[in-house]
Amino acid sequence: MIAPDFEVAVIGAGPAGSTAALAMHNSGLRVALIDLATFPRDKTCGDAVAAYVPKVLATISPAFSAAFQALPKKQSVHTCRVVAPNGRSLDFKFHESGNVVKRIDLDNFLYELAIGQTHVIPLPGRRVNSIVYKPDQNFWELQTSQGRLTARLIIGCDGANSVVKKQLSDGRLHPQHHSAAVRAYFTGVEGVNPESFELHFIKELPLGYFWIFPESDGSFNVGLGALSKFISDKQVNLRDLLHHVVTNHITIAKRFANAHQVGDVKGFGLPLGSRKIPISGPGWMLCGDAGNLIDPLTGEGIGQAMASGRYAGWMAVDCFKHQNFSEVFMKRYDRQVYKKFWAAHRKSYLMQRYLVPRFGFFNKVVELAHWSPAFRKWLQRAVL
Ligand SMILES: Cc1cc2nc3c(=O)[nH]c(=O)nc-3n(C[C@H](O)[C@H](O)[C@H](O)COP(=O)(O)OP(=O)(O)OC[C@H]3O[C@@H](n4cnc5c(N)ncnc54)[C@H](O)[C@@H]3O)c2cc1C
């Protein structure tokens, strides 16, 4: 039998792919890290990085976590301000601080860390077009924009429009379990606490929210997103809505009176983690957005991408150790990922569907939290 070019092909080198590659360090496996882009590359995002991200890296290697802590261009964030539809706000203090890091910097940091490991072979500027399993050879054949590659195992980390998901799992877009969002960078926004996230639940956006996140260079990541079903039912143009909010909203617009937009408004899809799909099968796994792992309420997916990438990397090492690539063996990966995220994603889904659009109820919940410290504490645990 012919040996494949690589033991593992990681398709997509965003947070999921780079972390999956990192998790296979010291394994002796030859890992191809393939991306259609060349790095540094940007990714449309709110740039908010969950507090547990350094821990994900620390469980792979304390040195990787230390490298993240030393990353210069990150803004530490200690609180989250939630603004109800009536304008009344609540500040939640995090137990552990999160960060805001521009994706061009975060993703390039993770990519450089991954390709700095001797087991990782970077293959940038290469689009994977199709994947076929060759049973006679016992490996996968990948057709790419720069020719053919073969690997024993594949890890699909190719984002929201994943080719791997479409070919091997369930790539259908369910508008009830999918969001869309847009963001732009601004300078000169007034009244911002530079160490706080701001989430505004506004009447114009009953199944989503508007955000202001502070960057380390003094600019702000400003955006909004909503469930795709709402966007298509109501024919909402998110770019127009963002412009409308920063120029006309009763409380928000005043704070943008002297602000300047830097660069274009950019948008992208968010496959939400409120619908389970198969994220593994014989000889393959899906991580991050390719595995539909975004929090349905907050839209966070970087932490999920990195945590699932880490599990996939570890699972790959186990597959080679036991020489077992069977569907049954690989389902351990699905169980691990869903054990970590499913309950939280269900709770977020229910809050997004039944709390956020009920403005009167939402306002009362915020009012009650002002009045009762015990309820406020409970709410913080439930939301953050
Ligand atoms: C507007 C917006 C705001 C968001 N805000 C936040 C936020 O504040 N915090 C947060 O945690 N999450 C946020 N998210 C979600 C977050 O961006 C994603 O969950 C995260 O990027 C997932 O990482 P990933 O590695 O799975 O995919 P990606 O980061 O999308 O990486 C996928 C990689 O695969 C490559 N690729 C794609 N197709 C192919 C192919 N065929 N062949 C080869 N390579 C391929 C791409 O070039 C890319 O580098 C937001 C999303 C949007 C759209």
Side-chain angles (χ1 to χ4, degrees):
M1 217 144 38
I2 309 163
D5 302 328
F6 302 97
E7 268 93 33
V8 184
V10 177
I11 303 168
S18 291
T19 310
L22 284 170
M24 288 179 270
H25 80 136
N26 294 339
S27 65
L29 300 173
R30 265 170 60 83
V31 176
L33 183 57
I34 309 165
D35 203 292
L36 63 86
T38 51
F39 284 72
R41 66 101 180 88
D42 198 12
K43 155 79 177 78
T44 301
C45 189
D47 304 337
V49 181
Y52 67 86
V53 156
K55 284 190 194 148
V56 173
L57 292 171
T59 54
I60 304 172
S61 161
F64 297 159
S65 174
F68 175 83
Q69 300 292 9
L71 192 66
K73 293 179 190 167
K74 63 181 192 307
Q75 175 65 42
S76 193
V77 169
H78 311 298
T79 56
C80 180
R81 171 163 290 187
V82 174
V83 186
N86 64 358
R88 191 94 149 109
S89 66
L90 268 181
D91 289 319
F92 293 110
K93 192 164 169 28
F94 295 128
H95 297 301
E96 290 170 282
S97 303
N99 287 285
V100 181
V101 190
K102 285 193 177 161
R103 288 294 297 274
I104 193 156
D105 298 321
L106 175 73
D107 291 22
N108 196 49
F109 158 75
L110 291 169
Y111 180 73
E112 289 289 329
L113 199 60
I115 66 169
Q117 311 302 312
T118 48
H119 69 291
V120 180
I121 295 98
L123 297 173
R126 201 181 274 248
R127 177 187 289 277
V128 173
N129 295 320
S130 69
I131 311 130
V132 180
Y133 186 65
K134 298 278 173 189
D136 46 332
Q137 308 287 358
N138 229 0
F139 59 53
W140 294 91
E141 187 178 87
L142 284 66
Q143 296 299 340
T144 82
S145 52
Q146 292 187 41
R148 169 188 178 271
L149 288 175
T150 58
R152 177 67 191 90
L153 189 106
I154 53 172
I155 306 183
C157 303
D158 47 341
N161 304 318
S162 168
V163 168
V164 184
K165 172 168 66 180
K166 281 180 197 146
Q167 277 200 230
L168 303 177
S169 180
D170 177 356
R172 286 171 298 168
L173 189 158
H174 284 250
Q176 304 266 25
H177 300 282
H178 188 276
S179 284
V182 296
R183 70 99 180 102
Y185 290 105
F186 282 85
T187 56
V189 183
E190 283 159 14
V192 181
N193 172 354
E195 297 188 337
S196 186
F197 295 127
E198 279 186 42
L199 311 184
H200 296 253
F201 292 86
I202 56 176
K203 293 190 175 122
E204 292 85 342
L205 213 53
L207 284 163
Y209 68 87
F210 168 87
W211 71 79
I212 305 174
F213 296 158
E215 301 282 355
S216 64
D217 62 1
S219 66
F220 302 93
N221 184 313
V222 176
L224 48 78
L227 202 68
S228 296
K229 171 138 181 54
F230 165 76
I231 294 168
S232 57
D233 285 356
K234 303 285 177 200
Q235 297 283 298
V236 180
N237 180 319
L238 290 181
R239 283 183 173 78
D240 291 351
L241 185 57
L242 181 65
H243 178 71
H244 174 79
V245 171
V246 300
T247 50
N248 291 301
H249 186 273
I250 186 155
T251 53
I252 296 168
K254 283 183 230 162
R255 298 173 56 199
F256 282 79
N258 298 311
H260 294 285
Q261 188 182 317
V262 182
D264 297 333
V265 178
K266 291 201 171 152
F268 210 66
L270 296 91
L272 305 177
S274 46
R275 184 175 74 91
K276 280 188 184 178
I277 59 165
I279 52 173
S280 75
W284 62 269
M285 287 175 271
L286 295 172
C287 308
D289 286 8
N292 294 4
L293 290 173
I294 294 184
D295 185 291
L297 178 66
T298 63
E300 288 174 285
I302 298 169
Q304 287 89 331
M306 293 177 64
S308 58
R310 175 194 57 180
Y311 288 139
W314 286 345
M315 184 71 213
V317 175
D318 263 8
C319 290
F320 284 94
K321 187 169 153 202
H322 298 282
Q323 281 302 304
N324 191 344
F325 302 86
S326 69
E327 182 155 14
V328 173
F329 189 68
M330 303 212 53
K331 282 296 160 209
R332 274 173 41 191
Y333 169 71
D334 297 48
R335 285 196 292 276
Q336 211 163 22
V337 170
Y338 284 125
K339 187 174 169 202
K340 175 116 182 108
F341 293 116
W342 182 246
H345 286 172
R346 278 305 293 176
K347 188 183 71 187
S348 286
Y349 175 69
L350 294 173
M351 289 180 74
Q352 193 222 34
R353 296 305 301 277
Y354 301 109
L355 170 66
V356 173
R358 290 177 168 76
F359 297 139
F361 182 51
F362 195 134
N363 293 337
K364 284 203 176 89
V365 167
V366 170
E367 209 55 54
L368 184 59
H370 273 283
W371 182 74
S372 159
F375 178 67
R376 188 191 176 104
K377 221 170 164 178
W378 175 87
L379 191 64
Q380 164 142 12
R381 274 204 307 273
V383 178
L384 300 176

